[in-house]
Amino acid sequence: MTNEQTSRTVAIVGTGVIGNGWITRFLANGFDVVAFDPAEGAEERARQSIDNAWESVEQLGLHESASRERLTFVSTLEEAVQGADLIQENVPERTELKQNVLAEIDHHADPTAIIGSSTSGIKPTELQQKLNHPERFVVAHPFNPVYLLPLVEIVGGEHTSQEFEQKAYAFYESASMKPMIIEKEIEGFVADRLMEALWREALHLVNDGIATTEEVDKAITYGAGLRWAQMGPFMTFHLAGGEEGMRHMLKQFGPALKLPWTKLEAPELTEELQERVITGCETHAGDRSVAELERKRNEFLVKLIDLVEDYWP
């Protein structure tokens, strides 16, 4: 992990799965973290989550100043955000709730602080409506597990300044992330829209009895997923075109895009489909608990991230 930082103190507001993932990432990269969550038992759950993830971040590589002791829980939001260089909001995905929490953060935060929201789909312009200083607000959408996956989508709203977008980019990069600025806001941003399209098609395949959940997962795991982890869809297809690359690929396979291979609309989520999906996943998991599967996932991701860094710039 990088030893360079643009700042040292982060406030985390809301400590569910994503909030705790952020805490772990920032601690692993040598930041001081102040956390606030009014839910009973939040601190105990957060520290347990960090302990569970720490082995994985150690394998990935810790900052020389990394320490779990640099986490402080406080009893008020005001106390959490004062003095923080970045405030990361992670409350439930309800627009009005987020607007109100962000307004309170905006009221108490230092004037130069970046305010980021972990929303996975709400437009930043909606979220910054109640802010007195909307220019320093960005959506900073991470991916689970946040402490391992490096992508963060940075999206500004109508009132976000380019200065703060760039400031946010540098800040998240200093936490060993791969920031990506999305110039035009749209629901779901980029990565989730791509995943949602695949998810809809996967549900159709299961619903229509074409494949089981295990077979769909196998199709991705041992097919497209292996290539996408290194290059993504565009470069994968570029290589599929031979020496002429994408130019030949589009010429040869472009017409196939008009064939009705995929269904853009999601299937109705009937009780039967839900049960088929749930039963399929539980059968595939077997007697392995979610915690065990998470540990195996983390071990795999650490190795995969190293491979991606070695074989693709």
Side-chain angles (χ1 to χ4, degrees):
M1 291 185 177
T2 180
N3 287 339
E4 297 180 3
Q5 294 175 345
T6 56
S7 189
R8 300 292 295 180
T9 306
V10 176
I12 301 296
V13 178
T15 59
V17 172
I18 298 301
N20 289 334
W22 276 118
I23 292 174
T24 305
R25 172 169 285 276
F26 284 117
L27 291 176
N29 281 274
F31 289 85
D32 290 314
V33 179
V34 182
F36 168 73
D37 191 319
E40 185 176 352
E43 180 174 358
E44 181 181 355
R45 288 191 295 272
R47 293 191 184 278
Q48 183 62 56
S49 175
I50 295 163
D51 289 343
N52 291 342
W54 203 253
E55 182 180 353
S56 295
V57 293
E58 282 182 323
Q59 292 172 352
L60 198 59
L62 295 176
H63 185 276
E64 61 186 13
S65 301
S67 172
R68 284 172 280 187
E69 302 304 315
R70 299 182 73 166
L71 169 63
T72 304
F73 261 78
V74 294
S75 58
T76 67
L77 185 147
E78 179 179 358
E79 187 180 359
V81 305
Q82 288 181 346
D85 302 287
L86 168 74
I87 300 103
Q88 190 75 31
E89 169 272 311
N90 315 282
V91 302
E93 200 79 347
R94 299 196 296 273
T95 300
E96 186 175 3
L97 173 62
K98 283 185 175 288
Q99 286 175 337
N100 292 337
V101 171
L102 288 166
E104 188 177 356
I105 290 172
D106 183 54
H107 178 70
H108 294 297
D110 289 358
T112 57
I114 305 163
I115 301 175
S117 174
S118 297
T119 178
S120 59
I122 305 172
K123 287 183 176 181
T125 296
E126 292 183 59
L127 293 177
Q128 65 186 178
Q129 287 181 4
K130 297 182 180 181
L131 305 187
N132 291 323
H133 300 285
E135 70 280 354
R136 39 99 166 260
F137 172 80
V138 296
V139 161
H141 174 223
F143 296 83
N144 186 43
V146 184
Y147 51 87
L148 292 182
L149 295 184
L151 180 64
V152 56
E153 296 178 313
I154 298 173
V155 195
E158 291 180 2
H159 305 291
T160 304
S161 72
Q162 286 190 347
E163 176 189 354
F164 268 93
E165 279 191 1
Q166 292 300 324
K167 188 176 178 180
Y169 186 102
F171 195 102
Y172 292 109
E173 192 173 47
S174 75
S176 302
M177 303 198 81
K178 301 289 186 184
M180 166 179 158
I181 292 180
I182 299 173
E183 300 293 346
K184 184 176 181 180
E185 61 179 325
I186 185 173
E187 295 91 344
F189 321 127
V190 173
D192 273 1
R193 293 179 73 93
L194 294 170
M195 289 189 289
E196 183 70 13
L198 182 60
W199 174 234
R200 286 196 296 266
E201 189 63 24
L203 288 174
H204 275 295
L205 293 170
V206 173
N207 189 55
D208 296 345
I210 296 166
T212 64
T213 58
E214 182 177 0
E215 289 167 341
V216 170
D217 284 353
K218 183 181 289 186
I220 297 299
T221 301
Y222 297 108
L226 287 172
R227 299 181 301 188
W228 289 346
Q230 183 189 20
M231 295 186 176
F234 281 104
M235 287 304 296
T236 295
F237 282 128
H238 181 62
L239 268 63
E243 292 184 3
E244 294 183 39
M246 183 63 78
R247 186 177 303 277
H248 178 72
M249 203 289 297
L250 289 177
K251 184 177 181 181
Q252 182 169 346
F253 299 106
L257 293 173
K258 295 182 179 180
L259 299 176
W261 283 6
T262 58
K263 302 178 180 180
L264 295 179
E265 295 294 329
E268 183 181 353
L269 201 56
T270 61
E271 289 187 11
E272 180 183 359
L273 177 55
Q274 291 185 60
E275 189 58 33
R276 190 176 295 180
V277 171
I278 293 167
T279 301
C281 290
E282 291 176 345
T283 301
H284 191 192
D287 59 0
R288 294 169 294 182
S289 67
V290 170
E292 181 182 353
L293 291 171
E294 284 180 343
R295 285 194 297 272
K296 289 182 177 294
R297 176 202 64 189
N298 290 354
E299 291 172 5
F300 172 80
L301 287 176
V302 168
K303 295 177 181 179
L304 183 61
I305 289 168
D306 287 340
L307 280 173
V308 172
E309 291 293 331
D310 287 343
Y311 288 94
W312 191 249

